[in-house]
Amino acid sequence: MDASGTEWRRLCDAHDHNAFKHDCDVRPDKLRTVAAYCTANAIEYNIGSNRIRPLFIFTDTWCSSGAFASNGTLVQTGGSSDGGSDIRYFTPCSGDNCDWDNSQPTKLATDRWYASNQILPENRIIIVGGNTKFNYEFVPKRTGEGVFSLPFLSQTVTTAQAQNNLYPFLHLSSDGNLFIFANRDSILLDYKNNVIVKSFPKMPGDGPRNHPSTGSSVILPLTAADGFTKVEVFICGGCPDNGFTSANAGNFIDALRSCGRMVITDQNPSWSMEDMPGRRTMSDMLILPNGEVIIINGARNGVAGWGMANASVLTPYLYRPTAPFGRRFFTLAATNISRMYHSTANILPDGRVFVGGSNPHFGYVFTGTPFPTELRLEAYSSYYLENVYTELFRPKITSVSSSSVSYKSTFTIVFSVPRALTNGVQFNVYAPSFTTHANSMNQRLLTLAATTPAPVSTTILNVVYSSTVTAPISAVAAPPGSYMLFVVNTGIPSVAHWVHFS
């Protein structure tokens, strides 16, 4: 399949920041004094109507973190200034009445700025690290619970100015322990007992991978074929050790080009290295519904920060994990909007990639700079959304017997395809991420076990099939919550149907 025939579509042009005004009319005492910041700090974007709705948020969320609780509520933690210890909740609703809830009296045990979150099997969220925070804590808390020391984070600091271990990469392993990657080192943490159970080899590549020398990370798709036991980490990009100090002096050195894969569940894990088509930092890395990986946004030099890079990367890369070594990367269609520091991306239920943001400035700067504050939104359509693949292969989910499924139980999916199946079909579930600063927290894709699809009916337009699918085996494999379910035929995914595992 050709991976280059892709397109970008502009969703929203809102360069007039007055279009976002909300907070300054309601709560001026809670806003920064700089007039340029007198805008909404949060919006709700409606994908179907392409409409935005300003939300009211009380305290500073700059460089914060988040995760989705099992009931779908976004739990958003930390930030800067008066928001450093805040916990905020946003529960979606069908109308326009939902907004941020800051009324809960519980706070974080310490300020968290540039920390990372991971939803856990027991439906708690762990928050790890942050600026000079060499510890972790949980939300919700147990009685008397505070922070837990993690010296690993102090050991991976490069310098006081360029810590290079902020926004550490977190991935839940199949034994229930937490993989933590910071700078170039990584550990497996038994967070229940605050014990490091394994230390992994240092990642090659001559440079740190975490903020501000920002690379990105995913765990590759998990599969029922091995009981979801094999966990493989994939990390790309970053910047050499002197990237921060050089950028601070106005010298933007080239970013790293290398990527590394490591099966963290192997008895003797080691890194397997390969190169991207080009150098990259501050990129978002997302798992696509068919199990491929897209690397999007970013710069080819410098580091994260205000004015700390001067060369954007406009072309996304596609990575096929199961392809032979040396044939895994593809360069995709370019955008014409630079997405550098403070940009973001997420997967939409129809398989597109939602892209927004970019602001390498203190305050809003729309003119007189090659990289202005960016308020436009875009959607990137991968090759599998092209008409030729829709007409030949793209499935359509007709029904799902239950949208709330217990672990290990089965449910039935009825779907149609344009013509009879000739190859295998996959049933993939995807946990959406909280994405910020090139760190897509909590994202996870699992290929579920299923019976061979049985034909139900045939018409001139399509063939209808039914298959019995088995839910993930446990909350360790798939932490409780809502997942996008995709039927994937010959690499072409359907529009998602939401399912809830508990």
Side-chain angles (χ1 to χ4, degrees):
M1 293 180 181
D2 179 14
S4 62
T6 51
E7 69 172 7
W8 292 82
R9 182 186 177 196
R10 191 72 45 77
L11 297 178
C12 180
D13 286 305
H15 255 319
D16 178 7
H17 67 273
N18 288 318
F20 289 81
K21 283 190 69 175
H22 179 56
D23 276 358
C24 50
D25 296 328
V26 181
R27 191 73 181 271
D29 61 306
K30 280 293 182 183
L31 295 173
R32 299 176 181 87
T33 56
V34 181
Y37 283 111
C38 196
T39 60
N41 295 0
I43 62 168
E44 181 186 64
Y45 174 70
N46 187 302
I47 300 168
S49 65
N50 194 29
R51 185 176 70 92
I52 61 172
R53 181 172 69 90
L55 302 175
F56 179 71
I57 201 158
F58 284 76
T59 56
D60 195 335
T61 60
W62 183 38
C63 302
S64 54
S65 55
F68 293 97
S70 64
N71 65 355
T73 294
L74 174 59
V75 182
Q76 202 269 337
T77 51
S80 181
S81 185
D82 61 351
S85 62
D86 258 17
I87 306 172
R88 311 164 192 87
Y89 302 87
F90 181 78
T91 303
C93 64
S94 57
D96 286 346
N97 296 320
C98 13
D99 211 325
W100 286 100
D101 176 11
N102 280 71
S103 65
Q104 303 298 321
T106 305
K107 300 283 188 179
L108 296 174
T110 187
D111 288 355
R112 299 285 174 186
W113 194 36
Y114 302 105
S116 296
N117 294 20
Q118 172 67 48
I119 184 71
L120 300 172
E122 54 269 29
N123 197 23
R124 294 217 291 169
I125 297 166
I126 188 170
I127 304 122
V128 179
N131 187 40
T132 69
K133 305 298 180 182
F134 309 130
N135 50 48
Y136 62 92
E137 62 181 290
F138 300 92
V139 172
K141 296 189 179 305
R142 294 175 178 145
T143 302
E145 191 175 70
V147 301
F148 298 82
S149 177
L150 188 59
F152 167 75
L153 294 176
S154 62
Q155 296 160 6
T156 50
V157 170
T158 301
T159 66
Q161 291 75 35
Q163 296 178 54
N164 286 324
N165 67 349
L166 302 176
Y167 281 125
F169 303 138
L170 308 180
H171 299 297
L172 182 65
S173 189
S174 54
D175 61 0
N177 294 315
L178 185 68
F179 175 84
I180 304 176
F181 184 100
N183 200 317
R184 292 173 59 192
D185 292 293
S186 49
I187 57 171
L188 195 63
L189 175 70
D190 175 358
Y191 58 84
K192 295 178 181 178
N193 298 297
N194 194 24
V195 174
I196 296 175
V197 296
K198 183 180 287 188
S199 295
F200 296 96
K202 186 181 294 290
M203 185 176 178
D206 193 30
R209 308 287 176 158
N210 293 90
H211 184 91
S213 298
T214 309
S216 48
S217 172
V218 298
I219 53 171
L220 296 178
L222 309 173
T223 176
D226 62 14
F228 308 106
T229 57
K230 179 183 176 181
V231 180
E232 186 169 11
V233 171
F234 181 49
I235 296 173
C236 283
C239 199
D241 281 321
N242 60 337
F244 182 87
T245 53
S246 295
N248 227 8
N251 178 27
F252 308 112
I253 63 176
D254 288 341
L256 299 178
R257 187 178 178 181
S258 60
C259 299
R261 289 171 61 163
M262 180 171 63
V263 180
I264 65 173
T265 48
D266 277 356
Q267 187 172 357
N268 296 299
S270 61
W271 290 100
S272 173
M273 303 301 293
E274 54 192 312
D275 283 341
M276 293 183 282
R279 299 179 182 277
R280 207 151 193 152
T281 182
M282 294 184 279
S283 296
D284 295 293
M285 188 186 293
L286 297 168
I287 311 170
L288 294 173
N290 60 2
E292 297 171 342
V293 177
I294 190 168
I295 304 172
I296 199 166
N297 302 333
R300 67 172 181 266
N301 65 13
V303 299
W306 290 322
M308 300 284 272
N310 70 350
S312 60
V313 181
L314 301 177
T315 53
Y317 300 148
L318 182 74
Y319 182 79
R320 290 182 170 149
T322 58
F325 183 86
R327 296 169 57 188
R328 294 171 179 163
F329 278 104
F330 298 83
T331 299
L332 305 179
T335 179
N336 60 3
I337 299 177
S338 295
R339 306 283 187 181
M340 299 171 69
Y341 188 44
H342 290 140
S343 60
T344 190
N346 269 291
I347 301 297
L348 296 178
D350 61 9
R352 293 179 299 166
V353 181
F354 179 80
V355 179
S358 187
N359 187 27
H361 309 284
F362 177 77
Y364 292 107
V365 179
F366 295 110
T367 59
T369 174
F371 307 111
T373 302
E374 191 53 70
L375 299 183
R376 289 173 291 180
L377 306 175
E378 293 177 286
Y380 176 77
S381 297
S382 193
Y383 70 94
Y384 51 63
L385 295 174
E386 292 178 1
N387 287 336
V388 61
Y389 297 125
T390 297
E391 293 169 359
L392 293 176
F393 303 111
R394 195 171 199 200
K396 181 179 180 180
I397 297 176
T398 304
S399 66
V400 177
S401 61
S402 177
S403 292
S404 183
V405 186
S406 300
Y407 295 113
K408 297 183 182 179
S409 64
T410 59
F411 58 104
T412 301
I413 300 176
V414 178
F415 64 96
S416 63
V417 288
R419 59 183 187 178
L421 298 173
T422 56
N423 293 313
V425 168
Q426 289 184 327
F427 300 91
N428 292 342
V429 290
Y430 176 79
S433 63
F434 179 96
T435 301
T436 184
H437 290 73
N439 192 344
S440 295
M441 306 172 196
N442 302 291
Q443 75 165 331
R444 198 175 188 86
L445 186 138
L446 300 88
T447 298
L448 304 182
T451 60
T452 301
V456 174
S457 64
T458 302
T459 69
I460 296 176
L461 297 176
N462 56 49
V463 184
V464 179
Y465 290 88
S466 176
S467 187
T468 300
V469 179
T470 303
I473 58 175
S474 70
V476 172
S482 295
Y483 290 68
M484 287 188 267
L485 166 66
F486 296 92
V487 179
V488 182
N489 176 30
T490 319
I492 309 302
S494 67
V495 172
H497 180 98
W498 286 96
V499 295
H500 185 271
F501 296 125
S502 62

